[in-house]
Amino acid sequence: AQSVAQPEDQVNVAEGNPLTVKCTYSVSGNPYLFWYVQYPNRGLQFLLKYITGDNLVKGSYGFEAEFNKSQTSFHLKKPSALVSDSALYFCAGLFMTTDSWGKLQFGAGTQVVVTP
Amino acid sequence: DSGVTQTPKHLITATGQRVTLRCSPRSGDLSVYWYQQSLDQGLQFLIQYYNGEERAKGNILERFSAQQFPDLHSELNLSSLELGDSALYFCASSLRTGALNTGELFFGEGSRLTVL
């Protein structure tokens, strides 16, 4: 079955340290992968996407993600975390249905806590 | 502000009742998606509409129904409510759908439903 997985429920990091949020995928064909962020009491916001091309994708707020086909991973990274990066992060995959309309399915989410 | 408007923001009702959640997509967006977010199930895709037609269906219960109107706003109807239906219901919109879907969705701030 096509899916994305986020193996960590929570990631704790000190402000100024590198931040990595993990995501793995299982999909037939070419994967379309995304990262979204949800701040408390808000809707999800799009961060970045991988469709094709360069394996390193740059997004909003200084985030980037690396697509690794051999490891079927799409980890989100930020070189220097800020306290304001504390939020819930979702990895998502666009999986094509038989009629090619596609569904965007989200992982379980990873809570990021950045301490001062 | 994503440009997606959801009403009501909060709703408290009793088991067995019926409620309607409303969503106005971003100006110009033709696709509307509904997601349910709960602590135990995470973010679950319910249903997707494109220009008034249903295009993809996820884990939507038979007690739930949705539609997209000619002015492109959408409504999610939840009936015979159960305690387990308590959740945050998100609407999202995008310009298009199908095989060319970029997966970049714009989310509203959600409608929090509490069933007592």
Side-chain angles (χ1 to χ4, degrees):
Chain A
Q2 302 185 107
S3 64
V4 292
Q6 294 179 244
E8 302 160 315
D9 291 336
Q10 182 165 316
V11 169
N12 298 301
V13 63
E15 188 174 33
N17 283 359
L19 169 63
T20 298
V21 187
K22 296 179 181 177
C23 173
T24 59
Y25 66 89
S26 171
V27 63
S28 55
N30 295 322
Y32 300 150
L33 300 166
F34 308 82
W35 278 100
Y36 281 77
V37 61
Q38 184 181 23
Y39 297 101
N41 301 313
R42 305 299 296 272
L44 279 71
Q45 294 178 33
F46 170 80
L47 276 180
L48 51 79
K49 66 186 177 189
Y50 172 83
I51 303 295
T52 185
D54 196 346
N55 289 343
L56 186 63
V57 179
K58 293 191 183 297
S60 307
Y61 312 121
F63 284 95
E64 57 189 28
E66 186 172 9
F67 173 71
N68 187 317
K69 190 171 183 177
S70 63
Q71 297 186 7
T72 62
S73 67
F74 188 57
H75 299 334
L76 180 70
K77 300 180 181 183
K78 187 170 184 180
S80 178
L82 301 172
V83 172
S84 57
D85 293 328
S86 298
L88 188 56
Y89 290 80
F90 290 95
C91 180
L94 182 65
F95 303 120
M96 293 303 167
T97 53
T98 53
D99 61 1
S100 296
W101 284 101
K103 300 184 215 183
L104 191 64
Q105 293 192 8
F106 290 84
T110 298
Q111 183 69 48
V112 169
V113 178
V114 182
T115 52
Chain B
D1 182 7
S2 67
V4 177
T5 303
Q6 289 187 247
T7 57
K9 290 192 184 306
H10 301 276
L11 189 56
I12 301 174
T13 188
T15 55
Q17 295 299 304
R18 171 189 171 95
V19 299
T20 298
L21 309 180
R22 181 188 169 100
C23 170
S24 294
R26 285 190 324 158
S27 177
D29 282 358
L30 301 177
S31 282
V32 169
Y33 309 75
W34 286 97
Y35 284 84
Q36 179 195 57
Q37 186 179 34
S38 61
L39 284 176
D40 55 342
Q41 298 281 344
L43 196 60
Q44 296 285 319
F45 168 71
L46 294 178
I47 199 163
Q48 173 188 352
Y49 283 84
Y50 175 74
N51 205 19
E53 294 187 21
E54 180 184 309
R55 284 302 180 187
K57 220 166 185 176
N59 302 322
I60 188 166
L61 300 172
E62 285 192 9
R63 300 184 284 109
F64 296 0
S65 64
Q67 55 183 324
Q68 185 180 27
F69 294 86
D71 67 352
L72 301 177
H73 91 272
S74 178
E75 292 181 357
L76 178 66
N77 299 298
L78 315 175
S79 62
S80 302
L81 286 168
E82 302 175 359
L83 296 177
D85 297 328
S86 295
L88 194 52
Y89 291 84
F90 284 110
C91 169
S93 72
S94 69
L95 179 58
R96 59 194 310 172
T97 187
L100 298 179
N101 189 347
T102 64
E104 183 172 349
L105 305 185
F106 295 86
F107 281 78
E109 297 201 347
S111 293
R112 184 170 294 282
L113 173 66
T114 303
V115 182
L116 300 175

